[in-house]
Amino acid sequence: MNRWLTRRWPALHWPSIRGRGRTDAGPLLLSAVVIAAVTLLAGAVPALLRAAADEAVQDTVRRAGHDSNVLVHANWERDDGPTGGRVRMPRLAEELDDFRAQATYALGPDLDAALLPPVAAVNGPVLNITGGSVPRTFQFTYLAGDLGGPDVTWIAGSPPGPTVSDEYVETRYDGPPWPVQVGLSEEDATALDLGPGDRIPVRDGQGRDKDIRVSGIYRPADSADPAWLLAPALLRPVAGADGVGITRFAGLLSRESLPDARLAIDEDQLRRTVHFAPAPDALSWDATAALTSQVVKLKAASGSSSDRGQTLKWESQLDTALRDARTRNSAAFAQAAVLLTGVLTATALVLLLAADLLVRRRTPVLSAARQRGAALPDLGAELIIESTVVSLSAAAVGLALARAAAPGVSWTWAVPVVLAGAVAGPAFGTLAAARASRDRRQPANPAARRWIRATGQLRRAAAEAAVLIAAVAAFVTLHQRGLLPVASDGDTGELTGDLILPVSALTLGALVGAIVLLRLLPLGARFALRQALRSRRPLAVFGAAQAATTAGRALSLLVLVSTTALASFALILGTTVTRGLDDGAWSSVGADARLDVGADAEAATPALAERIAAAPGVGQVVVAQVTDSARVFTESTLLSPRLVIVDSAAFQRLLATTPLPDAPALARLTAPGPGPGDVPALVRSSDGNLRTGTQLQLSRDGAPAIRLAAVGTAPSVGGVDDVVIVDAEALADAGLPAVPNTVWVTGPGAARAVSNTGVAADVVLRADVLRAQRVAPLTAGLLRLAWTAAAVLLALGLLGLTLAAAGGASERWQTLTRLRTLGLRPRDARWVAAGELLPPVVVVAVCGPPLGALLARLTLGPLDLRLLTGHATEPAAVLPWWLLGLVSVALLATAAAVVPVESALRRRDRLSEVLRAGE
């Protein structure tokens, strides 16, 4: 009880605090600069990544196009009349408005805020236009938003009106075709050569004529209105919309003619759908989890397609797009966390080294204060106040700069740096003061001394074993579960508890490597000393003796090895991502340029390929028929892989002359199949359903299926994992000639050759794909972080080398100056100093980059870099040896520069002062 009553607050001596601060302003300022710089990086990176994640979500939704729209379907109310006929419903447009409002209400507030205003579309069946020399189709459509349909100007005739003016009309099922009025666009009317009052000659799939009349010709007020995207044929004829060589035309319905359109066709042929297009600018990463959940709930509660009632039937791929974006964002945040963890750990070690140097300078002052009666709690409190002020002030400056450079700031990652800066100095200073006043004597008993030494060794071994066990557990966890959150829908971008261990695997691996070198370096130094003692060169003996004396300093070696290995890893990561982007562009395009020929121009593909091959600068041209979601059967499963029908020899030559992986198995496609009637095929699948030896059947319309035999593994085509490749000639012999729709072109003139083909085709250039991938928000952010982390880690390593040299400079040059009294020349003294400083630096320069390469081999796979590079598989680690060599050269150059600088600074030391030191 009396012990607690006699406790007091520390008695602070403010003049001593201010005096120590002024005396050691240089080291304190250096620590503050380090804290501010790393806090700037740690505070800005998460905010910049979060902004990049928002942009990535928006970019993913934009790329998804119409697939990301939210669609809702519903059947109409039955129009059966009391006398067995069909009743005309004049309020059909109002029912559609109610349906649109019901669908909007069902979205919920969060999803509604992320979507553009809805557009309701009512489409009739695709009818065949009779007459003419080319196949043509026709479809009437009604579009209506919250403010009505898209604005048009009627340049001839009038808007479609009702066929009858009576409120109640009932027609027979077997009655004559019910007339309906539609409007035509200028281009449609010109192509059909029709005007107001003309009848469009159309017939349905059962050969029944329909009575569709043109009421007027319109011109859209804004052809860029998003509503027109739902029915582009309302603006102009669309070729290939209903098959190869078939052109579709469309007629615009009005609110008045919509009831007539339902009577003009069968009861279930008029489809109504409400389209909700996402607003990309309104999407953010924080909102994607709730939006994905809401879309999934709507689809789960959706009525079945066989339901004849008016229940809402939801359809959308928005949840898939958002989930993919969240997965990539989570991977990018985890990768950034790996780099930031390494930077923060290296910073903490450098701050410990700076604190050790500061305490070495202050040891006489602290010892004197302790001998004058200052209590350890008082000294510790004074040192804590000083270090806390310095650390918090520097962190505030760093966070302020981060806020100015980034759209936000994250203080979480800055906490370890501030704690290291605030705690290291007081802890080392208090220990130094305690040792100075400790009255414990060295035991004279050899057994007691051995016991003390063994106890220290056991403590060190326990600490090293703890680091090793943590590193093994981290690498096992990293390879078992990866870095992606278990539930990505709930991921917030913050480092959760289950990710701390795998994220720390890289840093722990670097520390284990440093511990191994720390164990081996003293052994090597003692071996070098024994060899030097056998020589006749005294400088070698002095240098080896000095190196053997300082080889056991753990903190400096930990700093050098960890920073060098982590900087090498960051360089390897940046180079691997850069190379992966290039390989991903090759994998996505398949050549320097690719032409995806439209359906109406497929017949001209062979002639087009010959014309491209004759262009200057073109290396190879390969044509193929590429069919996505082909109907391929196994014995019990229906599959939908990408079917590639190509000249296997030409395709093999193409792969051999590009960075794409070679596929020697393509030569098997020209050999006879394993069984009679079997066509050899190469297969590839992500789930293992397609394997070598599998028997497949390729279905055909109106003909027996073709039997395929898997004889090897197919290369990835267009970045798709599920692929079936068949030789064009072999498949033609089996009765299915290829219709090429894809042209791959290589060579420096490929882009120019495919730019002006005069054929309806989509041009995909590898250079454009690569440029788009490099400027993608997440990819660009990760690359900038990798290069920045490498530069920061290298700077920390060089700073640590300088601090380590400064920490032992006083003792080193005191010894060398005393050796000068025995005849050692100043030049020889510099050589002896270099012999002390260079061995650990040489070891780090030689072993640090290979350690970083080893860590890259162990960790790059689970980092899921393929999610950012667009590669089908994880990109292989690329070792930039010239960059790694620059890291080693920078270390050696800095160590070599330290010796002459120290010699110049110590030139003014008086020999008398050195000889009296320790008296």
Side-chain angles (χ1 to χ4, degrees):
M1 184 66 180
N2 293 332
R3 180 182 176 186
W4 290 98
L5 291 176
T6 57
R7 286 193 172 185
R8 61 178 178 83
W9 289 99
L12 304 178
H13 190 251
W14 293 103
S16 296
I17 297 176
R18 291 190 294 269
R20 284 193 295 265
R22 286 193 299 267
T23 303
D24 299 319
L28 293 175
L29 181 60
L30 177 62
S31 298
V33 171
V34 172
I35 294 174
V38 177
T39 302
L40 167 61
L41 179 66
V45 166
L48 291 174
L49 279 180
R50 185 169 293 276
D54 293 341
E55 296 178 9
V57 170
Q58 298 167 6
D59 183 66
T60 301
V61 173
R62 289 191 184 98
R63 291 175 180 271
H66 291 295
D67 292 338
S68 62
N69 288 0
V70 178
L71 311 181
V72 56
H73 314 277
N75 296 323
W76 297 97
E77 181 185 357
R78 295 188 61 85
D79 59 359
D80 297 328
T83 61
R86 298 179 61 190
V87 176
R88 184 179 184 274
M89 296 182 174
R91 298 183 57 83
L92 207 61
E94 286 77 1
E95 291 186 18
L96 184 65
D97 294 339
D98 295 339
F99 168 51
R100 186 177 62 250
Q102 179 187 4
T104 304
Y105 177 78
L107 291 175
D110 294 337
L111 188 56
D112 186 23
L115 301 175
L116 296 174
V119 176
V122 180
N123 295 307
V126 178
L127 307 174
N128 297 318
I129 299 178
T130 60
S133 57
V134 294
R136 297 172 298 176
T137 58
F138 181 84
Q139 184 182 41
F140 47 71
T141 301
Y142 173 71
L143 300 175
D146 292 338
L147 302 177
D151 294 333
V152 297
T153 301
W154 297 94
I155 59 176
S158 61
T163 300
V164 295
S165 58
D166 297 336
E167 284 292 326
Y168 180 83
V169 176
E170 183 177 354
T171 63
R172 302 192 315 272
Y173 275 97
D174 57 351
W178 187 268
V180 56
Q181 297 183 18
V182 299
L184 292 180
S185 66
E186 284 185 282
E187 296 187 28
D188 282 6
T190 302
L192 293 174
D193 194 20
L194 297 175
D198 293 338
R199 180 174 175 176
I200 304 176
V202 295
R203 187 174 296 167
D204 64 9
Q206 299 179 0
R208 297 175 297 184
D209 293 331
K210 300 298 178 181
D211 188 2
I212 300 179
R213 303 171 184 178
V214 179
S215 67
I217 310 299
Y218 64 86
R219 179 184 300 158
D222 181 12
S223 58
D225 192 319
W228 296 117
L229 297 177
L230 304 179
L234 289 173
L235 296 178
R236 62 187 61 85
V238 177
D242 298 306
V244 179
I246 303 176
T247 303
R248 177 185 290 186
F249 297 82
L252 182 64
L253 297 171
S254 65
R255 297 177 66 89
E256 292 76 15
S257 64
L258 181 60
D260 300 317
R262 189 178 187 192
L263 290 180
I265 55 179
D266 293 342
E267 184 179 18
D268 58 349
Q269 288 184 323
L270 193 67
R271 307 286 184 177
R272 60 175 179 172
T273 304
V274 177
H275 297 256
F276 295 91
D281 294 337
L283 298 176
S284 64
W285 186 27
D286 294 332
T288 52
L291 298 181
T292 302
S293 176
Q294 183 62 20
V295 174
V296 171
K297 289 179 181 178
L298 290 175
K299 293 165 66 174
S302 177
S304 64
S305 58
S306 60
D307 186 4
R308 305 297 297 176
Q310 301 182 52
T311 58
L312 302 183
K313 304 175 182 65
W314 296 91
E315 174 188 352
S316 179
Q317 295 298 321
L318 179 61
D319 55 330
T320 302
L322 293 178
R323 193 176 292 111
D324 292 343
R326 289 190 64 82
T327 301
R328 287 192 292 272
N329 291 345
S330 300
F333 267 87
Q335 294 153 6
V338 170
L339 293 174
L340 283 179
T341 301
V343 172
L344 296 184
T345 302
T347 304
L349 292 175
V350 170
L351 290 176
L352 290 175
L353 195 58
D356 180 67
L357 173 62
L358 180 61
V359 170
R360 287 173 183 268
R361 293 165 55 98
R362 288 181 170 179
T363 298
V365 177
L366 296 175
S367 300
R370 180 64 174 152
Q371 292 169 0
R372 288 195 301 266
L376 288 178
D378 297 342
L379 286 176
E382 293 175 0
L383 295 175
I384 287 177
I385 290 176
E386 177 190 74
S387 61
T388 301
V389 170
V390 172
S391 299
L392 291 179
S393 301
V397 173
L399 292 177
L401 294 176
R403 184 63 184 88
V409 66
S410 175
W411 59 268
T412 306
W413 285 95
V415 171
V417 179
V418 176
L419 287 179
V423 173
F428 288 166
T430 304
L431 289 176
R435 292 193 191 100
S437 60
R438 185 172 57 187
D439 58 356
R440 181 179 177 182
R441 297 180 179 179
Q442 184 74 11
N445 187 355
R449 291 198 298 269
R450 286 195 300 269
W451 176 262
I452 294 175
R453 187 167 54 252
T455 301
Q457 293 174 351
L458 286 175
R459 290 173 179 171
R460 176 180 174 180
E464 293 174 351
V467 175
L468 178 61
I469 293 173
V472 172
F475 276 101
V476 170
T477 307
L478 177 65
H479 283 268
Q480 290 293 328
R481 75 172 301 283
L483 287 177
L484 294 180
V486 176
S488 61
D489 287 343
D491 181 29
T492 61
E494 300 295 336
L495 191 62
T496 56
D498 60 331
L499 287 177
I500 292 178
L501 193 58
V503 163
S504 305
L506 172 67
T507 303
L508 291 173
L511 293 178
V512 169
I515 290 173
V516 172
L517 290 180
L518 186 59
R519 284 289 185 176
L520 297 178
L521 187 59
L523 299 177
R526 287 194 292 269
F527 175 78
L529 178 59
R530 288 194 297 268
Q531 296 298 320
L533 289 173
R534 298 176 183 176
S535 68
R536 297 182 179 180
R537 291 175 292 182
L539 294 182
V541 175
F542 294 151
Q546 289 285 90
T549 303
T550 60
R553 293 178 179 175
L555 190 54
S556 59
L557 192 63
L558 285 176
V559 171
L560 291 177
V561 175
S562 60
T563 53
T564 305
L566 293 174
S568 302
F569 173 84
L571 293 174
I572 294 172
L573 176 64
T575 307
T576 300
V577 171
T578 303
R579 179 70 62 82
L581 291 175
D582 187 65
D583 294 342
W586 276 105
S587 177
S588 177
V589 180
D592 289 311
R594 189 185 73 227
L595 275 178
D596 296 328
V597 182
D600 56 336
E602 290 179 349
T605 302
L608 174 63
E610 294 179 0
R611 191 165 67 250
I612 294 176
V618 173
Q620 294 194 52
V621 178
V622 177
V623 298
Q625 178 181 343
V626 180
T627 305
D628 290 326
S629 300
R631 294 172 59 85
V632 177
F633 295 86
T634 62
E635 295 180 355
S636 59
T637 308
L638 170 63
L639 305 175
S640 55
R642 170 173 288 182
L643 177 63
V644 180
I645 307 173
V646 64
D647 183 350
S648 57
F651 191 47
Q652 189 173 9
R653 289 193 301 269
L654 174 70
L655 296 180
T657 56
T658 62
L660 294 170
D662 294 336
L666 287 169
R668 305 174 190 173
L669 297 182
T670 56
D678 290 344
V679 177
L682 300 183
V683 297
R684 181 187 187 94
S685 66
S686 57
D687 54 8
N689 287 332
L690 294 176
R691 298 182 299 273
T692 301
T694 304
Q695 294 294 322
L696 307 173
Q697 289 188 349
L698 176 61
S699 63
R700 294 186 293 173
D701 295 335
I706 296 177
R707 292 185 301 174
L708 305 178
V711 296
T713 302
S716 176
V717 179
V720 177
D721 287 333
D722 298 333
V723 179
V724 175
I725 301 180
V726 184
D727 183 70
E729 184 177 355
L731 196 63
D733 294 339
L736 184 60
V739 181
N741 59 1
T742 300
V743 182
W744 287 299
V745 186
T746 64
R752 191 184 315 107
V754 302
S755 59
N756 297 314
T757 59
V759 176
D762 293 330
V763 178
V764 183
L765 301 179
R766 183 182 59 84
D768 293 342
V769 173
L770 179 59
R771 190 179 304 109
Q773 291 177 343
R774 284 178 176 172
V775 300
L778 290 178
T779 305
L782 180 64
L783 281 175
R784 285 194 293 266
L785 177 59
W787 303 128
T788 303
V792 171
L793 288 166
L794 180 58
L796 290 174
L798 299 180
L799 177 60
L801 173 59
T802 306
L803 292 176
S810 178
E811 298 177 0
R812 178 168 54 253
W813 287 97
Q814 188 179 65
T815 302
L816 294 177
T817 305
R818 288 174 177 174
L819 288 176
R820 286 178 57 190
T821 63
L822 302 178
L824 192 69
R825 293 175 299 178
R827 184 180 62 181
D828 297 336
R830 289 194 293 269
W831 280 110
V832 174
E836 176 185 347
L837 291 175
L838 284 179
V841 178
V842 171
V843 170
V844 173
V846 172
C847 299
L851 176 59
L854 176 61
L855 294 175
R857 294 286 186 183
L858 295 176
T859 57
L860 283 185
L863 286 183
D864 294 315
L865 295 178
R866 59 179 176 82
L867 296 175
L868 300 183
T869 61
H871 217 264
T873 58
E874 291 297 332
V878 180
L879 304 181
W881 290 113
W882 68 277
L883 289 176
L884 302 182
L886 287 179
V887 174
S888 300
V889 170
L891 287 174
L892 296 175
T894 303
V898 166
V899 175
V901 171
E902 282 189 351
S903 178
L905 294 176
R906 297 287 175 174
R907 186 176 301 169
R908 298 181 181 180
D909 291 349
R910 294 182 180 180
L911 187 60
S912 59
E913 295 178 357
V914 175
L915 292 178
R916 286 198 302 267
E919 290 184 355

